[in-house]
mmCIF file of all heavy atoms in Angstrom:
data_model
loop_
_atom_site.group_PDB
_atom_site.id
_atom_site.type_symbol
_atom_site.label_atom_id
_atom_site.label_comp_id
_atom_site.label_asym_id
_atom_site.label_seq_id
_atom_site.Cartn_x
_atom_site.Cartn_y
_atom_site.Cartn_z
ATOM 1 N N GLY A 143 15.163 -7.291 -6.892
ATOM 2 C CA GLY A 143 15.882 -7.671 -8.115
ATOM 3 C C GLY A 143 16.268 -9.140 -8.153
ATOM 4 O O GLY A 143 16.692 -9.646 -9.179
ATOM 5 N N LYS A 144 16.127 -9.836 -7.009
ATOM 6 C CA LYS A 144 16.661 -11.206 -6.927
ATOM 7 C C LYS A 144 15.629 -12.280 -7.254
ATOM 8 O O LYS A 144 15.943 -13.300 -7.852
ATOM 9 C CB LYS A 144 17.186 -11.444 -5.500
ATOM 10 C CG LYS A 144 18.555 -10.805 -5.275
ATOM 11 C CD LYS A 144 19.250 -11.388 -4.063
ATOM 12 C CE LYS A 144 18.645 -10.982 -2.767
ATOM 13 N NZ LYS A 144 19.199 -10.021 -1.933
ATOM 14 N N THR A 145 14.408 -12.060 -6.784
ATOM 15 C CA THR A 145 13.347 -13.077 -6.927
ATOM 16 C C THR A 145 12.099 -12.371 -7.453
ATOM 17 O O THR A 145 12.011 -11.138 -7.391
ATOM 18 C CB THR A 145 13.044 -13.719 -5.544
ATOM 19 O OG1 THR A 145 12.808 -12.680 -4.595
ATOM 20 C CG2 THR A 145 14.176 -14.599 -5.066
ATOM 21 N N PRO A 146 11.122 -13.121 -7.964
ATOM 22 C CA PRO A 146 9.940 -12.450 -8.528
ATOM 23 C C PRO A 146 9.236 -11.541 -7.518
ATOM 24 O O PRO A 146 8.743 -10.468 -7.857
ATOM 25 C CB PRO A 146 9.021 -13.608 -8.929
ATOM 26 C CG PRO A 146 9.872 -14.835 -8.978
ATOM 27 C CD PRO A 146 11.075 -14.583 -8.120
ATOM 28 N N TYR A 147 9.208 -11.984 -6.243
ATOM 29 C CA TYR A 147 8.503 -11.217 -5.208
ATOM 30 C C TYR A 147 9.405 -11.065 -3.987
ATOM 31 O O TYR A 147 10.432 -11.743 -3.879
ATOM 32 C CB TYR A 147 7.189 -11.927 -4.821
ATOM 33 C CG TYR A 147 6.305 -12.173 -6.022
ATOM 34 C CD1 TYR A 147 6.038 -13.469 -6.459
ATOM 35 C CD2 TYR A 147 5.767 -11.106 -6.744
ATOM 36 C CE1 TYR A 147 5.247 -13.690 -7.587
ATOM 37 C CE2 TYR A 147 4.981 -11.318 -7.863
ATOM 38 C CZ TYR A 147 4.729 -12.610 -8.280
ATOM 39 O OH TYR A 147 3.966 -12.826 -9.390
ATOM 40 N N LEU A 148 8.983 -10.218 -3.059
ATOM 41 C CA LEU A 148 9.816 -9.991 -1.871
ATOM 42 C C LEU A 148 10.034 -11.272 -1.072
ATOM 43 O O LEU A 148 11.091 -11.470 -0.474
ATOM 44 C CB LEU A 148 9.157 -8.929 -0.970
ATOM 45 C CG LEU A 148 9.221 -7.501 -1.509
ATOM 46 C CD1 LEU A 148 8.243 -6.601 -0.775
ATOM 47 C CD2 LEU A 148 10.640 -6.955 -1.391
ATOM 48 N N MET A 149 9.013 -12.139 -1.072
ATOM 49 C CA MET A 149 9.121 -13.387 -0.325
ATOM 50 C C MET A 149 9.447 -14.544 -1.270
ATOM 51 O O MET A 149 8.961 -15.654 -1.088
ATOM 52 C CB MET A 149 7.843 -13.658 0.475
ATOM 53 C CG MET A 149 7.532 -12.614 1.539
ATOM 54 S SD MET A 149 8.898 -12.276 2.697
ATOM 55 C CE MET A 149 9.129 -13.879 3.463
ATOM 56 N N GLY A 150 10.251 -14.271 -2.276
ATOM 57 C CA GLY A 150 10.669 -15.337 -3.195
ATOM 58 C C GLY A 150 9.631 -15.547 -4.277
ATOM 59 O O GLY A 150 9.261 -14.621 -4.984
ATOM 60 N N ASP A 151 9.142 -16.800 -4.366
ATOM 61 C CA ASP A 151 8.143 -17.098 -5.402
ATOM 62 C C ASP A 151 6.731 -16.792 -4.928
ATOM 63 O O ASP A 151 5.788 -16.873 -5.705
ATOM 64 C CB ASP A 151 8.223 -18.583 -5.800
ATOM 65 C CG ASP A 151 9.499 -18.841 -6.603
ATOM 66 O OD1 ASP A 151 9.964 -17.914 -7.301
ATOM 67 O OD2 ASP A 151 10.042 -19.959 -6.501
ATOM 68 N N GLN A 152 6.581 -16.477 -3.635
ATOM 69 C CA GLN A 152 5.231 -16.219 -3.109
ATOM 70 C C GLN A 152 4.900 -14.732 -3.162
ATOM 71 O O GLN A 152 5.591 -13.902 -2.558
ATOM 72 C CB GLN A 152 5.114 -16.712 -1.647
ATOM 73 C CG GLN A 152 3.691 -16.566 -1.093
ATOM 74 C CD GLN A 152 3.594 -16.726 0.422
ATOM 75 O OE1 GLN A 152 4.603 -16.950 1.108
ATOM 76 N NE2 GLN A 152 2.386 -16.581 0.940
ATOM 77 N N PHE A 153 3.841 -14.396 -3.871
ATOM 78 C CA PHE A 153 3.333 -13.023 -3.856
ATOM 79 C C PHE A 153 2.577 -12.828 -2.537
ATOM 80 O O PHE A 153 1.755 -13.668 -2.166
ATOM 81 C CB PHE A 153 2.383 -12.819 -5.043
ATOM 82 C CG PHE A 153 1.678 -11.492 -5.021
ATOM 83 C CD1 PHE A 153 2.284 -10.359 -5.553
ATOM 84 C CD2 PHE A 153 0.413 -11.378 -4.466
ATOM 85 C CE1 PHE A 153 1.639 -9.126 -5.517
ATOM 86 C CE2 PHE A 153 -0.244 -10.154 -4.438
ATOM 87 C CZ PHE A 153 0.375 -9.028 -4.966
ATOM 88 N N THR A 154 2.866 -11.731 -1.831
ATOM 89 C CA THR A 154 2.200 -11.496 -0.536
ATOM 90 C C THR A 154 1.717 -10.052 -0.433
ATOM 91 O O THR A 154 1.998 -9.214 -1.299
ATOM 92 C CB THR A 154 3.163 -11.734 0.658
ATOM 93 O OG1 THR A 154 4.188 -10.715 0.614
ATOM 94 C CG2 THR A 154 3.785 -13.110 0.650
#
Side-chain angles (χ1 to χ4, degrees):
K144 282 198 289 257
T145 51
Y147 305 114
L148 288 165
M149 297 307 299
D151 288 330
Q152 185 194 0
F153 173 85
T154 67

